[in-house]
């Protein structure tokens, strides 16, 4: 975003309702350019208006009948990105200011999201259209939302040969430093000494050591909020090796940890009145002669023994140890984010993360926080009738069933065994990936449920005091 561009193009964001009045006030040239219904303020419609020299002097973006969300402006940004490099480099874009502060803030957020490109490994990089911050926008809030979401995208998009376990822990450490938070990590065999046996077991086959990262931030007098993330930097499936078509995307299996780091970024940037604890279980699920095996029985931090039925159900193992740790500190609210099961995708597809809670009364407020903020989420039940399917003849619990039914619920029920029943708990089984790519949301690493939870947290604890 730039302060001194050579030329400025004004941007009008128009609904179907506001468009006719806006058009009435325009000169004959604009009216001619917009004749024949080329632009009517419909959602996603975009128009570039030119002066007599053919230079672009204004841009229009339609919102139809919908409320303004960050995504509202993204179709326009996508069109601008396809303009000539010279035009993009020399121009600043400035909103016509008739919208509310919140709407302006949303548009700024969307502009930042739409400008995102994962081009770290590309030789040729292209410029992005620069926005001149509107007075009415809350710049701090917009920056926080842009940075948090782009952090998630970058982390998920970065391949596992680069974002290995040490690197992911390093990113968490950098974030802690940015906000002057306490940081601690427990690495490799130390996980056994400190009683995180399941994180160790899952990650021990990789030369990149497993680790548990902990960040603590905020005033001790505030209610404690714990975030737990699945940080499997690559999931081969282990000895229960994934077939190629399922393994290809598994660099994104640390998406849950990207979500909690992004959410933590938002909470700390906007200084929410909570005492925040972030726990990230980091491991690479690899194949090696020392890999954990189907049939193994392993111990857990909580004291439950776990029979390994499937080494590909590794996420619930690493996360369960972190959940047990979080519960020892008695949080007011515990939230975990995991790319836990393919079954959640069978149930709800790519766009909608499944979430679960041990408090039925929290389901609607969380669903509403998502649906009302362009971040759809939907609840599934922790149906305890299915618990018995995880009975093991030789251990306290098995990490999979042979039933092949309700896999996302099974994942949730497994984690529930490690949750202290007195703690309010929410579990997200998310995809962390945009499958198709759409305006403001390029194909690749993506937030799925993060903003829903931020809005829920903000309504539960209030904004910064
Ligand atoms: N990381 C996967 C889950 C996953 C797969 C998420 C594909 C998104 C897309 C997880 O570790 C896994 O492999 N889960 C198994 C569990 C099963 C063995 C009980 C699954 O879903 O097949
Ligand atoms: Zn797996
Ligand atoms: Zn996994």
């Amino acid at each position: 975003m730039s302060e001194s561009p050579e030329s400025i193009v004004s941007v009008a964001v128009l609904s179907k309702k506001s468009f006719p009045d806006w058009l009435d006030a325009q000169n004959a040239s604009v009216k001619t350019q917009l004749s024949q219904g080329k632009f009517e303020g419909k959602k996603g419609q975009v128009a570039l208006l030119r002066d007599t020299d053919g230079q672009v002097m204004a841009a229009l973006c339609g919102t139809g009948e919908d409320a303004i969300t960050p995504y509202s402006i993204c179709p326009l940004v996508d069109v601008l990105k396809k303009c000539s490099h010279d035009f993009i480099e020399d121009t600043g874009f400035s909103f016509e200011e008739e919208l509310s502060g919140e709407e302006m803030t949303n548009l700024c957020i969307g502009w930042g999201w739409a400008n995102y490109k994962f081009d770290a490994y590309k030789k040729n990089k292209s410029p992005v259209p620069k926005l001149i911050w509107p007075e009415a926008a809350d710049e701090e809030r917009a920056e926080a939302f842009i940075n948090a979401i782009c952090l998630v995208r970058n982390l998920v998009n970065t391949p596992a040969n680069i974002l290995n376990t040490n690197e992911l822990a390093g990113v968490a450490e950098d974030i802690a430093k940015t906000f002057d938070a306490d940081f601690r990590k427990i690495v490799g065999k130390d996980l056994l000494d400190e009683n995180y046996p399941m994180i160790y077991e899952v990650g021990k086959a990789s030369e990149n050591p497993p680790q548990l990262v902990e960040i603590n931030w905020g005033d001790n007098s505030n209610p404690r909020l714990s975030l737990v993330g699945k940080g499997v930097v690559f999931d081969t499936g282990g000895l229960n090796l994934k077939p190629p078509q399922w393994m290809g995307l598994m660099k994104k299996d640390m998406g849950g940890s990207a979500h909690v780091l992004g959410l933590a970024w938002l909470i700390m940037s906007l200084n929410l009145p909570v005492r925040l604890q972030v726990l990230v279980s980091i491991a690479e699920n690899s194949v090696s002669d020392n890999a954990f095996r189907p049939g193994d029985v392993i111990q857990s931090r909580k004291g439950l023994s776990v029979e390994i039925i499937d080494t590909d159900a590794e996420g619930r193992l690493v996360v369960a140890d972190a959940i047990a740790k979080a519960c020892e500190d008695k949080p007011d609210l515990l939230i975990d984010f995991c790319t836990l099961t393919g079954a959640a995708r069978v149930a709800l597809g790519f766009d909608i993360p499944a979430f679960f809670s041990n408090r039925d009364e929290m389901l609607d407020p969380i669903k509403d926080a998502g649906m009302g903020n362009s971040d759809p989420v939907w609840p599934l039940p922790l149906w305890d009738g299915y618990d018995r399917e995880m009975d093991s003849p030789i251990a306290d619990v098995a990490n999979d069933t042979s039933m092949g039914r309700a896999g996302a619920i099974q994942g949730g029920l497994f984690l529930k065994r490690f949750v202290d029943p007195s703690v309010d708990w929410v579990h997200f089984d998310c995809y962390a990936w945009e499958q198709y790519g759409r305006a403001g949301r390029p194909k690749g690493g993506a937030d799925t449920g993060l903003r829903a939870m931020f809005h829920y947290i903000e309504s539960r604890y209030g904004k910064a005091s």
Side-chain angles (χ1 to χ4, degrees):
M1 307 216 178
S2 145
E3 297 305 324
S4 54
E6 281 178 28
S7 61
I8 292 180
V9 166
S10 76
V11 176
V13 179
L14 299 166
S15 64
K16 272 186 81 173
K17 199 159 159 251
S18 64
F19 174 64
D21 285 349
W22 178 89
L23 187 63
D24 265 355
Q26 304 304 309
N27 64 29
S29 155
V30 170
K31 285 180 178 150
T32 313
Q33 289 182 59
L34 293 176
S35 59
Q36 295 152 0
K38 278 183 197 146
F39 181 94
E40 298 166 302
K42 284 188 188 153
K43 186 177 172 181
Q45 271 188 336
V46 167
L48 300 182
L49 301 176
R50 294 170 192 276
D51 61 18
T52 44
D53 298 334
Q55 300 296 315
V56 175
M57 38 77 80
L60 311 183
C61 184
T63 59
E65 280 152 30
D66 292 3
I68 289 184
T69 75
Y71 292 116
S72 302
I73 195 69
C74 298
L76 171 63
V77 182
D78 276 2
V79 167
L80 296 176
K81 282 199 291 193
K82 293 191 190 112
C83 291
S84 80
H85 285 195
D86 285 350
F87 169 73
I88 296 172
E89 266 157 7
D90 297 345
T91 310
F93 294 87
S94 170
F95 286 122
E96 288 185 5
E97 303 239 0
E98 341 22 61
L99 302 169
S100 70
E102 192 183 338
E103 289 171 324
M104 282 291 182
T105 306
N106 272 338
L107 296 176
C108 292
I109 293 169
W111 197 284
W113 290 350
N115 273 350
Y116 175 86
K117 272 187 198 142
F118 188 66
D119 57 6
Y121 309 112
K122 288 250 188 212
K123 198 173 276 160
N124 296 326
K125 305 188 201 285
S126 31
V128 291
K130 296 172 281 284
L131 182 67
I132 298 170
W133 282 101
E135 287 268 314
D138 180 340
E139 189 167 343
E140 197 187 16
R141 193 168 171 94
E143 288 279 14
F145 273 92
I146 295 168
N147 290 336
I149 299 312
C150 293
L151 170 71
V152 174
R153 293 176 182 179
N154 278 335
L155 285 171
V156 175
N157 286 332
T158 304
N161 63 324
I162 296 160
L163 193 86
N164 58 33
T165 59
N166 294 315
E167 280 297 315
L168 180 54
V171 172
E173 185 165 9
D174 290 344
I175 292 170
K177 276 195 193 128
T178 305
F179 295 99
D180 219 5
D182 293 333
F183 177 84
R184 180 169 184 241
K185 63 179 176 182
I186 304 165
V187 183
K189 283 223 158 88
D190 286 353
L191 288 164
L192 295 176
D193 299 337
E194 303 243 9
N195 197 21
Y196 294 95
M198 295 207 286
I199 302 178
Y200 178 76
E201 285 292 332
V202 168
K204 69 183 180 182
S206 169
E207 63 173 9
N208 301 306
Q211 30 210 304
L212 177 87
V213 151
E214 179 174 359
I215 297 172
N216 281 288
W217 172 90
D219 194 329
N220 287 351
S221 62
N222 288 332
R224 185 189 278 281
L225 168 65
S226 276
L227 307 180
V228 168
K230 171 175 170 181
V232 173
V233 295
F234 195 80
D235 183 10
T236 63
L239 293 175
N240 291 107
L241 198 65
K242 282 183 185 292
Q245 70 270 31
W246 296 118
M247 203 193 296
L249 258 188
M250 281 300 125
K251 68 173 183 181
K252 78 172 182 67
D253 212 19
M254 33 54 67
S257 67
H259 274 61
V260 302
L261 291 172
L263 186 50
W265 182 284
L266 266 181
I267 290 167
M268 296 190 288
S269 311
L270 299 175
N271 205 16
L272 293 201
V274 293
R275 177 183 186 188
L276 179 68
Q277 177 185 51
V278 181
L279 295 164
V280 186
S281 299
I282 302 178
E284 177 170 9
N285 191 15
S286 287
V287 180
S288 170
D289 58 345
N290 68 333
F292 76 130
R293 316 165 187 83
D296 283 0
V297 173
I298 63 179
Q299 293 301 320
S300 67
R301 181 175 186 86
K302 174 105 176 169
L304 297 172
S305 60
V306 180
E307 183 188 3
I308 305 304
I309 306 296
D310 193 322
T311 60
D312 198 10
E314 84 300 336
R316 62 196 69 189
L317 305 173
V318 297
V319 167
D321 269 355
I323 281 179
K325 158 68 179 157
C327 288
E328 289 160 23
D329 300 330
K330 297 269 181 248
D332 180 67
L333 173 61
L334 166 62
I335 303 165
D336 74 71
F337 275 94
C338 313
T339 49
L340 204 68
T341 68
R345 307 290 58 88
V346 175
L348 295 174
F350 298 119
D351 288 353
I352 308 175
F355 75 95
F356 304 78
S357 175
N358 59 350
R359 303 283 185 266
D360 283 350
E361 64 276 16
M362 283 166 53
L363 298 175
D364 277 346
I366 291 172
K367 188 175 80 167
D368 294 346
M371 301 316 269
N373 287 287
S374 54
D375 187 19
V377 300
W378 210 264
L380 290 181
L382 288 166
W383 179 250
D384 61 13
Y386 299 155
D387 249 326
R388 72 178 99 165
E389 293 172 17
M390 281 177 291
D391 286 349
S392 157
I394 60 168
D396 296 325
V397 61
N399 81 331
D400 187 19
T401 82
S402 49
M403 303 298 288
R405 297 282 186 280
I409 297 176
Q410 291 291 350
L413 285 172
F414 181 91
L415 293 180
K416 188 174 174 220
R417 293 179 184 236
F418 297 83
V419 175
D420 178 337
S422 71
V423 171
D424 290 5
W425 167 59
V426 184
H427 158 56
F428 266 83
D429 193 339
C430 64
Y431 196 47
W433 192 263
E434 166 59 41
Q435 190 78 358
Y436 309 110
R438 49 197 157 101
R441 216 174 144 81
K443 183 172 175 169
D447 58 302
T448 46
L450 186 164
R451 291 179 302 111
M453 269 338 264
F454 177 79
H455 291 290
Y456 174 78
I457 292 165
E458 203 176 42
S459 64
R460 180 165 167 141
Y461 297 109
K463 298 194 180 204
S465 41

